[in-house]
């Protein structure tokens, strides 16, 4: 069996910075409230007309990852695209990326696992590489949240948290048994499916019905979140799935060189850090600058950490995520 390793990473966020203060002109909120509850100082929002979409931001991140992996785009055997905000209802954003990268034919697949989407995609790619089916897989996590948020006081509990951006990695076949993805761990619990969800439009309510109702008070078009339930489940599931990965590899928390949690909320990351007794150098957070970019958050954070020299050869990096579904997962990577 082969091993799989990350050979290139890239990220892209829109130029448009939206600070907490900027939000106060749209809704009844404050910098203090947002900082205290989430740790977020600013996020990036696509600006109308700037050419950014979920897929095109993914393309920008992917081009950097492909260049750093030092492969030709035509060497990519599979594109995996994780998002909850695809460009189109269908087809998925993976084929849009393929179109922009001008890769004539290779399989392209979308992964619909929200905040855990990147880890689900990484786990999927890992299997295809370890079995020998593919050599190079492009994995993208990207979100365009800003266009779909309720930017009024009514939606403030959700809209202050999310930002736009994309991250990408190239996962490649490796013959080195000691380096690469050690293990991945995936979970879901569908009983909470509607606790963090965007319900409409959907195939339960097709567009003609929505147009006929023409109801501006219908908030089902916006994401809804049972924030406190999410928080309580997140801290438990993050801890469990990190521990599961460590135990499977007969490792202990002290051996973690860098934990990159999905950037859901700084308070969740800090809770996990305390729980595992990790110091500040062992956990990477950038939610302060980008907000929660959902499927984009882990590859964006991992790329930044690598660019800052905080992930080096020989390091044990642990990725962990929790989110809508509920879904959660982890990955242990020996760099
Ligand atoms: N600004 C000011 N006031 C606000 C805002 C805002 N942006 N949003 C909500 N409030 C108000 C509410 O209206 C409420 O007012 P009331 O007491 O008069 O009714 C009050 O603040 C408290 O609201 P809660 O929703 O109870 O606030 P809470 O303390 O639970 O914090 C938060 C909300 C930050 C979402 C919290 O529940 C949380 O961190 N949850 C975890 C969810 C999370 O991080 N999700 C990220 C996305 S999911 C993921 O990636 C896993």
């Amino acid at each position: 069996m082969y091993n799989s390793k990350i050979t290139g990473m890239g990220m892209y966020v829109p130029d448009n910075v939206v600070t907490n203060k900027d939000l106060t002109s749209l809704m009844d909120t404050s910098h203090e409230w947002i900082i205290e509850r989430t740790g977020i100082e600013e996020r990036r929002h696509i600006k109308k007309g700037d050419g950014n979409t979920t897929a095109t931001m993914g393309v920008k991140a992917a081009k950097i990852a492909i260049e750093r992996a030092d492969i030709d785009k035509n060497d990519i055997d599979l594109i995996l695209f994780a998002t909850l905000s695809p460009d189109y209802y269908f087809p998925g954003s993976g084929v849009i990326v393929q179109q922009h990268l001008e890769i004539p034919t290779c399989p392209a697949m979308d992964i619909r696992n929200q905040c855990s989407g990147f880890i689900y995609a990484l786990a999927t790619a890992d299997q295809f590489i370890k079995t020998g089916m593919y050599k190079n897989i492009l994995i993208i996590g990207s979100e365009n949240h800003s266009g779909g948020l309720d930017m009024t006081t009514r939606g403030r509990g959700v809209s202050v948290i999310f930002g736009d951006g994309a991250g990408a990695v190239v996962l490649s076949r490796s013959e080195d048994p000691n380096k690469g993805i050690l293990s991945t761990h995936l979970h879901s619990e569908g009983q909470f499916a509607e606790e963090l969800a965007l319900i409409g439009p959907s195939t339960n309510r097709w567009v003609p019905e929505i147009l006929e109702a023409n109801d501006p008070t219908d908030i089902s078009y916006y994401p809804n979140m049972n924030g406190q339930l999410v928080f309580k489940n997140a801290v438990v599931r993050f801890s469990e799935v990190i521990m599961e990965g460590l135990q499977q590899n007969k490792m202990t928390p002290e051996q973690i060189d860098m934990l990159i949690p999905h950037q859901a909320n700084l308070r969740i990351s800090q809770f996990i850090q305390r729980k595992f007794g990790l110091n500040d150098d062992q956990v990477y957070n950038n939610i302060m600058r980008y907000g929660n970019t959902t499927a984009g958050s882990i590859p964006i954070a991992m790329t930044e950490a690598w660019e800052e020299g905080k992930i080096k050869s020989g390091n044990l990096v642990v990725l962990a995520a929790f989110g809508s579904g509920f879904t959660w997962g982890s990955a242990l990577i020996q760099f």
Side-chain angles (χ1 to χ4, degrees):
M1 201 155 92
Y2 297 102
N3 212 349
S4 62
K5 70 170 185 186
I6 292 174
T7 48
M9 301 181 221
M11 62 164 279
Y12 173 81
V13 289
D15 293 337
N16 180 33
V17 177
V18 177
T19 64
N20 293 342
K21 188 160 175 285
D22 293 333
L23 295 178
T24 62
S25 64
L26 302 170
M27 61 187 81
D28 180 11
T29 189
S30 67
H31 177 67
E32 292 69 29
W33 193 98
I34 299 170
I35 279 282
E36 189 191 317
R37 303 296 214 290
T38 71
I40 299 166
E41 293 169 29
E42 58 188 42
R43 72 287 291 142
R44 304 297 178 96
H45 282 181
I46 289 174
K47 244 188 170 163
K48 232 181 169 33
D50 70 5
N52 283 316
T53 69
T54 300
T56 62
M57 289 191 295
V59 169
K60 289 172 188 168
K63 283 184 174 168
I64 299 168
I66 293 167
E67 197 186 326
R68 286 174 174 167
D70 199 20
I71 59 167
D72 188 273
K73 63 181 184 180
N74 294 309
D75 294 331
I76 292 166
D77 301 310
L78 169 68
I79 298 168
L80 290 176
F81 198 107
T83 188
L84 62 69
S85 51
D87 286 31
Y88 305 136
Y89 202 95
F90 71 85
S93 295
V95 293
I96 312 296
V97 167
Q98 183 176 29
Q99 183 188 76
H100 283 266
L101 289 179
E102 297 177 7
I103 299 173
T105 61
C106 77
M109 179 176 12
D110 278 32
I111 304 269
R112 295 286 311 271
N113 287 75
Q114 302 71 248
C115 304
S116 311
F118 181 78
I119 291 192
Y120 267 75
L122 192 70
T124 306
D126 186 41
Q127 310 311 310
F128 276 122
I129 287 183
K130 284 187 171 148
T131 55
M133 176 107 176
Y134 296 130
K135 281 189 182 162
N136 297 299
I137 300 180
L138 174 63
I139 309 168
I140 297 170
S142 179
E143 303 290 358
N144 165 9
H145 283 303
S146 60
L149 296 171
D150 180 357
M151 301 298 286
T152 69
T153 300
R154 185 179 63 177
R156 65 184 178 174
V158 171
S159 56
V160 300
I161 295 175
F162 294 97
D164 302 337
V169 305
V170 173
L171 196 71
S172 302
R173 180 188 286 183
S174 153
E175 310 276 343
D176 184 346
N178 301 315
K179 281 199 175 170
I181 298 193
L182 303 179
S183 63
T184 56
H185 308 269
L186 305 177
H187 300 276
S188 306
E189 193 173 22
Q191 65 163 311
F192 296 118
E194 281 82 20
E195 300 293 347
L196 176 50
L198 195 152
I199 304 297
S202 70
T203 51
N204 292 322
R205 259 183 96 215
W206 276 107
V207 171
E209 195 185 326
I210 293 167
L211 291 175
E212 197 184 335
N214 190 22
D215 178 6
T217 66
D218 184 349
I219 55 166
S220 70
Y221 312 124
Y222 297 112
N224 76 75
M225 175 173 69
N226 181 344
Q228 291 182 11
L229 184 80
V230 170
F231 197 104
K232 282 181 201 146
N233 278 269
V235 291
V236 172
R237 298 309 193 184
F238 264 111
S239 306
E240 282 176 4
V241 82
I242 293 168
M243 212 52 207
E244 182 184 353
L246 290 170
Q247 280 172 349
Q248 175 159 329
N249 292 284
K250 299 189 173 41
M251 290 173 164
T252 58
E254 302 81 67
Q255 290 174 269
I256 298 175
D257 293 300
M258 186 57 78
L259 170 66
I260 302 180
H262 158 54
Q263 301 292 289
N265 182 320
L266 190 61
R267 306 301 159 226
I268 295 177
S269 297
Q270 288 168 335
F271 181 94
I272 306 302
Q273 178 175 345
R274 279 196 302 275
K275 170 132 189 158
F276 285 99
L278 302 174
N279 60 44
D280 288 348
D281 296 339
Q282 288 172 287
V283 184
Y284 193 81
N285 289 304
N286 60 8
I287 191 170
M288 307 72 90
R289 296 191 295 282
Y290 303 128
N292 178 334
T293 56
T294 308
S297 95
I298 290 180
I300 290 173
M302 188 161 59
T303 302
E304 271 203 350
W306 178 80
E307 287 173 351
E308 290 168 15
K310 292 179 176 164
I311 297 177
K312 298 182 213 60
S313 179
N315 281 174
L316 174 68
V317 174
V318 176
L319 313 179
F322 174 88
S324 159
F326 293 150
T327 59
W328 61 102
S330 66
L332 272 70
I333 309 171
Q334 192 70 58
F335 270 81

